[in-house]
Amino acid sequence: MTTHIQREIRSVPAVDVAGARWPMNKLAAVCAGLVMVTSVLLFGGSAIVAAWTAAVAVLAVWWGGYLWYGRRWDHGPREYAAAYRRQEH
């Protein structure tokens, strides 16, 4: 019989935002989106350009963080997502 031994339990990096646990990549994505919107609008861009730029930045940071933190688990991003869901409850 094969036994899988987990060496250490890694906690999912999360912060409390208004009483709810958010993973760090989600918070970083929201902050990146806000920075992109303000910077595009400050430099004279239109609201549509700001919205599209923010959307691209949010997706890139969100999925990039998901893949980055997922590398820390032996089974990849899927295990990271499952571990985060387990800690929510």
Side-chain angles (χ1 to χ4, degrees):
M1 174 167 30
T2 305
T3 304
H4 176 70
I5 300 172
Q6 189 78 17
R7 290 188 191 138
E8 65 181 77
I9 297 174
R10 299 177 181 133
S11 63
V12 176
V15 293
D16 288 331
V17 176
R21 290 181 51 84
W22 277 26
M24 287 296 287
N25 59 322
K26 186 178 192 179
L27 181 64
V30 170
C31 291
L34 290 173
V35 166
M36 291 306 293
V37 165
T38 54
S39 63
V40 168
L41 291 176
L42 281 175
F43 290 113
S46 68
I48 299 222
V49 172
W52 278 105
T53 306
V56 169
V58 165
L59 285 175
V61 172
W62 190 311
W63 284 103
Y66 176 73
L67 293 173
W68 176 261
Y69 288 126
R71 291 185 344 181
R72 295 177 54 201
W73 275 260
D74 293 334
H75 303 292
R78 191 172 183 181
E79 180 63 25
Y80 162 68
Y84 178 72
R85 283 190 216 108
R86 274 182 260 153
Q87 283 187 356
E88 280 185 331
H89 300 292

